[in-house]
Amino acid sequence: MTMMPLRADAARNRKAIVDTARSVFAEQGLDVALDEIARRAGIGNATLYRRFPSRADLVAAVFAEQMADHVAAVEAALGDPDPWAGLGSYLTAIAAMQANDRGLADLVTMDLSAAPEIESLRAQAFAGLVTLLERAKAAGALRAEFNPEDVLVLLMANAGLVERTHGSAGTASARLVHLFVDGMRAEAATEGPKPPTPRRMSLAMRTNSARLRLCSQPDEG
């Protein structure tokens, strides 16, 4: 079925909401009150909820471009002939994106099944990440037990750092990633705790999302 174009005033309202939400999410994270977004956009609450019935709908509209940039960062890293350099450049790029946008910092630590457009892009990025890790291990550069859940640990740690370091987020985030990447090297490997299981990290992401009603309540069964 062909979608009818929005009337001019409706299109203006939608753009105002999305542009304002992008700015407010970047400043304050995804848990900001939607009423605050409506107020700063200069529209009524009813208009916002008519355009975006749920927070997940608004998040999808705001972050599609950033998640496409995430996919592009993975693809650029895969294009690097040096597997270790490619992996390092990807982690550095994603952490910098988080440091520049608290909303994105939150987003990459959440289950986004309620926003299929965003979840599809994230799935592409994840598949690329798995390939990056496999390449770096095959080259003997990445410690053998390193897995995608370790990257999620980094992104969650970086999200917390971004929230708490304010004006110093860029510098602090870059330092965190530098130290983390050094510890990923095969020659740096020592015996230590195992990484969290995929199931436990998935549950953590669902819990983060459920708090903002971006997905159903987590199932621990």
Side-chain angles (χ1 to χ4, degrees):
M1 182 174 66
T2 303
M3 295 288 291
M4 294 294 294
L6 293 175
R7 298 193 322 267
D9 59 339
R12 283 194 299 271
N13 284 340
R14 187 184 191 283
K15 184 177 187 305
I17 294 166
V18 171
D19 289 348
T20 302
R22 182 175 292 114
S23 176
V24 176
F25 285 152
E27 294 170 6
Q28 303 180 36
L30 294 184
D31 60 352
V32 66
L34 297 187
D35 291 351
E36 170 67 7
I37 293 172
R39 184 189 67 78
R40 287 178 55 169
I43 62 167
N45 293 358
T47 300
L48 186 151
Y49 287 108
R50 186 162 57 250
R51 297 267 69 86
F52 300 100
S54 73
R55 185 179 297 265
D57 294 324
L58 182 55
V59 165
V62 168
F63 287 101
E65 183 176 339
Q66 285 95 323
M67 288 304 294
D69 289 342
H70 191 162
V71 173
V74 174
E75 292 174 347
L78 288 169
D80 192 318
D82 182 334
W84 177 254
L87 177 58
S89 69
Y90 165 73
L91 295 176
T92 300
I94 297 308
M97 289 180 193
Q98 285 185 294
N100 290 326
D101 188 326
R102 275 191 56 189
L104 183 63
D106 290 342
L107 192 73
V108 297
T109 70
M110 293 181 174
D111 177 296
L112 297 170
S113 53
E117 308 93 332
I118 303 295
E119 189 63 34
S120 175
L121 290 168
R122 199 236 295 279
Q124 292 180 52
F126 182 82
L129 170 63
V130 171
T131 301
L132 283 173
L133 298 181
E134 291 172 348
R135 289 173 71 220
K137 288 180 184 179
L142 178 64
R143 54 195 303 159
E145 84 282 12
F146 196 90
N147 66 25
E149 284 64 52
D150 288 312
V151 175
L152 184 53
V153 168
L154 169 64
L155 297 180
M156 287 185 170
N158 197 49
L161 179 149
V162 168
E163 179 181 356
R164 289 167 174 78
T165 52
H166 309 290
S168 300
T171 301
S173 174
R175 179 63 177 170
L176 173 66
V177 175
H178 173 76
L179 295 173
F180 186 89
V181 171
D182 269 1
M184 291 163 45
R185 294 179 183 275
E187 62 265 28
T190 62
E191 287 293 327
K194 294 183 182 300
T197 65
R199 179 182 174 280
R200 295 306 303 175
M201 295 308 284
S202 177
L203 177 60
M205 294 174 73
R206 288 184 64 78
T207 299
N208 291 340
S209 300
R211 179 173 58 85
L212 298 181
R213 299 180 181 177
L214 293 178
C215 74
S216 59
Q217 290 296 320
D219 179 9
E220 298 194 42

